[in-house]
Every structure is written in structure tokens, then in C-alpha cells.
């Protein structure tokens, strides 16, 4: 099947009553670096233009908009439009009110960090087909909760690998409820208020399950268990001072990654990808490749931030430098190549799946995952409060 036919499939049905299946209608021209055969179809599915990044000076901030940031030279990505500022402002307002008033997520001295994370921009740009602010808030609360858990249990704000397994298990029961005897149930219920991550997990999950189907909720719980397993692997390596091989690090990152975010793209979009379609090995491969690529984006953009922090931080460039006996610059540039290979593999796999299983919900879900991948890059690239690039060019 040629590229034009694949693009037509991914655009979905047309005609009266089908416009809701095609929420993304961006018309930027396609100027991508040449991906593998069939890979351009996913970029076309979200209407995004692909590009190997420009390397000119960064324009100054204008009219209160975020600074464009500097994309990583040589990185394969698809530029996207800036998210709707009204939606961004409303999501930002609502998630901050939820964080402060409903779950007491952070103390006053962390307010600048919460604001600097720019959750509103992140979720609006990653879910351009969300039909309402309420739908966007489903993902925004969950991301705020998970980020708080990562900081408080694992990293920036007192996190430690010591005892992490116990903390994660108890927090996971806020997502996946404990079924126990009447004698011990009150103790568990009280524990859900014990710290900010558990309060946030419980509240965010309550909102999510009210809107999601049982299958969507269970899918999310499964992916959060995957995430927590990845946290435990990284913590075990930190405790034993083990330096993983590159392939081992990538295996850990397939679990400790963004997968719970794109996997709920249908819930946030207000529809459902049926469980049998989501469970297809081909769909699982697409979701895994997309999640792996977006996580390496995080490794690359957060590289200087992590090196400046105390302790030894694992990220792909660091592991490549340690295990393949190369300079920091060589390792970073190779990590860019790894990301690009993952992106091309994701796009090719998604295009093949779209061609072989052109179900409308399947096509819309694939477009949603592709939009999440592109939005994730956009947020990392433009979040100059958190990220800056190394001086390797």
C-alpha cells in the first residue's frame, strides 16, 4: 500500500456525521527528514509537519507567550501549533485549585515549581482532540499526582531508593483499591490521606473512574503498575550502585516511562478504544514505542538539569558514555540517534496497524497517540523554566 493510501486511511471516514472522528485538522506542510517507508502516515494523521530542527538564535519571549526554546539539533520531531491559551489558562487554574484545596499537594514554598511545570500547557498540547476542559482535567490531575509521587518518593524532594517498594505499593492501592476485611479496611482508608502522593492519587483516580469505562480504568492501573515496577528497578540499581548496560537501561525505561499518559488518550478524547483492540500485540508495540521515544526526549532535554542535581542520575546519554567508553558529547549525540530510531519504528508500526485494522476507533486512537508524542516534545522544548540544552554544538 502506498503512502497516499495510508494517509487516507489514517484520516478516517468522511461525510455527514463523521467529523467527530477527525478532530485534528492541522494543515502545515510536511517537511520531515525522510523516515522509513510508511512512517509519514502517522505524521499526516495529526496533520503535523516533520522537521530536523533549525539551529538559529532563539527569539525573545513575546506577548506573554512561552519562549520557543531551542530544539535539539538533529532530533526527529513534528512541530505543533501552540495550544489554545484560553484552555491552557483554565486547566492551569483548575489544577492548581485542586492541588491546593482538595489534596494539599505541595507547601507554599513549592508554588513556583508547580507553576513552572506548566501542566496546563502540557496537557492541552498533548490532547488537542479533548472535547472539554473536564476531559483535559482527567489527565492533568493524574499527571500532577504522579509527578508529586516521583518527587517525594523517588527524587527531588526527599525521595530515596531506600524503602521505595513499600511506599509505592501503598500508594498504588489508591489507584487499585484494597479489598480486605472490615476490621482492617478503616486502617487502609486512613492511610490514603497520609501523604500528598496518596491523597492526589486517590482523588485523581476517583475523577478518572467516574468518566472512564471499567476497561479504561483497569488499563490505566496496569500501566501505572508498569511505571512503579520501573521505579523499583532504577531504585535497586541506585542502592547497589549498579551501572546498567545500555540495553538494560532501555528495558527499564520501557517501564519507567510516559506510557500511562498516551494510553488514556481515548478517555481524554471522550471515546473508547475497545479492550480487544487495545490488547492487540501490534497496538501494544505502537504504544510501547511511542512511550519509549517520548521518554528518551525527557532524558535528552533534562540532561543538564539532572547533571546539576546531587547524586548520580541515570539517563541514556550518561549510560552510553559509561558503557560504550565515549565522550559526553558522543554519548548525547548517539542518544539522539536512538530516539530517532524509536520514532521511526513507532511511526512505521502505527502506519502498518492503521492499514491492516482500519477501525474508526483504532484510527482515532493512533492519531491521539501521535498527537501526544508531538505535544510531549513541544512541552519539553519550550519549557525553558525546567530545561536547557548542553553546549555540544
Amino acid at each position: 500500500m502506498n503512502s497516499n493510501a495510508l494517509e487516507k486511511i489514517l484520516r478516517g471516514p468522511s461525510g455527514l456525521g463523521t467529523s467527530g472522528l477527525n478532530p485534528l485538522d492541522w494543515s502545515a506542510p510536511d517537511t520531515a527528514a525522510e523516515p522509513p517507508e510508511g512512517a509519514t502516515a502517522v505524521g499526516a494523521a495529526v496533520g503535523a509537519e516533520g522537521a530536523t530542527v533549525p539551529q538559529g538564535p532563539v527569539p525573545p519571549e513575546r506577548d506573554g507567550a512561552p519562549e520557543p526554546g531551542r530544539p535539539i539539533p538533529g532530533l526527529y520531531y513534528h512541530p505543533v501549533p501552540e495550544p489554545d491559551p484560553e484552555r491552557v489558562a483554565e486547566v492551569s487554574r483548575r489544577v492548581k485549585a485542586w492541588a491546593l484545596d482538595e489534596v494539599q499537594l505541595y507547601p507554599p514554598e513549592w508554588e513556583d515549581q508547580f507553576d513552572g511545570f506548566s501542566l496546563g500547557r502540557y496537557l492541552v498540547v498533548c490532547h488537542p482532540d479533548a472535547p472539554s476542559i473536564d476531559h483535559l482535567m482527567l489527565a492533568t490531575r493524574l499527571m500532577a499526582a504522579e509527578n508529586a509521587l516521583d518527587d517525594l518518593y523517588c527524587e527531588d524532594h526527599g525521595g530515596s531508593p531506600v524503602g521505595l517498594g513499600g511506599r509505592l505499593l501503598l500508594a498504588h492501592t489508591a489507584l487499585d483499591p484494597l479489598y480486605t476485611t472490615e476490621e482492617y479496611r478503616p486502617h487502609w482508608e486512613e492511610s490514603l490521606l497520609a501523604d500528598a502522593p496518596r491523597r492526589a492519587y486517590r482523588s485523581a483516580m476517583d475523577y478518572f473512574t467516574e468518566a472512564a469505562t471499567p476497561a479504561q480504568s483497569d488499563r490505566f492501573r496496569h500501566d501505572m503498575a508498569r511505571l512503579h515496577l520501573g521505579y523499583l528497578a532504577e531504585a535497586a540499581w541506585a542502592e547497589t550502585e549498579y551501572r546498567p548496560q545500555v540495553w538494560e537501561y532501555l528495558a527499564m525505561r520501557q517501564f519507567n516511562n510516559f506510557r500511562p499518559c498516551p494510553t488514556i488518550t481515548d478517555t481524554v478524547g471522550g471515546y473508547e478504544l475497545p479492550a480487544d483492540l487495545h490488547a492487540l500485540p501490534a497496538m501494544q508495540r505502537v504504544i510501547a514505542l511511542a512511550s519509549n521515544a517520548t521518554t528518551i526526549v525527557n532524558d535528552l532535554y533534562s540532561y543538564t538539569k539532572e547533571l546539576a542535581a546531587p547524586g548520580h542520575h541515570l539517563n541514556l546519554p550518561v549510560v552510553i558514555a559509561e558503557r560504550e567508553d565515549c565522550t559526553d558529547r558522543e554519548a548525547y549525540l548517539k542518544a539522539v540517534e536512538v530516539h530517532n530510531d524509536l520514532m521511526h519504528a513507532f511511526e512505521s508500526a502505527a502506519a502498518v496497524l492503521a492499514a491492516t485494522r482500519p477501525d474508526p476507533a483504532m484510527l482515532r486512537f493512533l492519531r491521539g497517540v501521535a498527537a501526544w508524542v508531538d505535544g510531549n516534545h513541544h512541552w519539553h522544548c519550550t519549557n525553558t523554566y525546567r530545561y536547557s540544552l548542553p553546549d555540544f554544538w
Side-chain angles (χ1 to χ4, degrees), residues 49-73:
E49 64 179 275
T52 300
V53 299
Q55 301 184 36
V58 177
E61 186 170 345
R62 297 186 300 274
D63 302 327
E67 292 184 29
R70 184 188 178 199
I72 295 168

Side-chain angles (χ1 to χ4, degrees), residues 311-365:
H312 181 270
H313 286 262
L314 288 182
N315 59 50
L316 184 57
V318 166
V319 174
I320 291 174
E322 290 178 345
R323 284 300 194 171
E324 299 190 358
D325 192 26
C326 55
T327 67
D328 291 344
R329 179 180 183 275
E330 291 168 339
Y332 191 92
L333 297 182
K334 183 168 184 180
V336 171
E337 294 178 7
V338 171
H339 165 270
N340 292 352
D341 287 346
L342 289 169
M343 275 289 288
H344 293 324
F346 154 63
E347 294 189 338
S348 293
V352 170
L353 180 55
T356 56
R357 297 294 294 263
D359 178 276
M362 173 81 81
L363 301 181
R364 184 172 179 184
F365 189 85

Side-chain angles (χ1 to χ4, degrees), residues 258-382:
F258 287 114
R259 185 177 182 133
C261 301
T263 204
I264 64 172
T265 187
D266 55 338
T267 309
V268 181
Y271 66 100
E272 181 178 16
L273 176 68
D276 60 330
L277 296 181
H278 180 266
L280 288 172
M283 175 59 80
Q284 291 296 300
R285 181 169 184 261
V286 166
I287 296 170
L289 285 167
S291 304
N292 292 347
T294 57
T295 303
I296 302 307
V297 162
N298 179 264
D299 276 15
L300 293 167
Y301 278 100
S302 66
Y303 176 77
T304 58
K305 176 177 179 285
E306 292 184 349
L307 290 186
H312 181 270
H313 286 262
L314 288 182
N315 59 50
L316 184 57
V318 166
V319 174
I320 291 174
E322 290 178 345
R323 284 300 194 171
E324 299 190 358
D325 192 26
C326 55
T327 67
D328 291 344
R329 179 180 183 275
E330 291 168 339
Y332 191 92
L333 297 182
K334 183 168 184 180
V336 171
E337 294 178 7
V338 171
H339 165 270
N340 292 352
D341 287 346
L342 289 169
M343 275 289 288
H344 293 324
F346 154 63
E347 294 189 338
S348 293
V352 170
L353 180 55
T356 56
R357 297 294 294 263
D359 178 276
M362 173 81 81
L363 301 181
R364 184 172 179 184
F365 189 85
L366 290 172
R367 288 195 297 271
V369 172
W372 203 95
V373 169
D374 295 342
N376 176 75
H377 173 267
H378 183 81
W379 177 83
H380 278 86
C381 177
T382 58

Side-chain angles (χ1 to χ4, degrees), residues 241-262:
E241 298 184 353
Y242 178 68
R243 300 294 187 257
Q245 300 284 347
V246 176
W247 75 266
E248 292 175 319
Y249 175 80
L250 291 171
M252 181 273 291
R253 270 314 218 176
Q254 181 158 309
F255 292 83
N256 178 3
N257 73 8
F258 287 114
R259 185 177 182 133
C261 301

Side-chain angles (χ1 to χ4, degrees), residues 87-136:
R87 279 197 161 196
V88 169
E90 181 60 14
V91 172
S92 299
R93 184 192 69 77
R94 288 197 197 183
V95 74
K96 191 168 184 177
W98 170 80
L100 293 174
D101 300 336
E102 293 191 43
V103 298
Q104 298 79 51
L105 189 62
Y106 61 89
E109 58 268 26
W110 296 357
E111 183 175 10
D112 61 333
Q113 296 174 58
F114 185 86
D115 293 341
F117 198 87
S118 301
L119 277 164
R121 288 190 69 249
Y122 202 165
L123 276 302
V124 174
V125 78
C126 283
H127 294 285
D129 70 335
S132 72
I133 299 295
D134 287 341
H135 286 84
L136 287 166

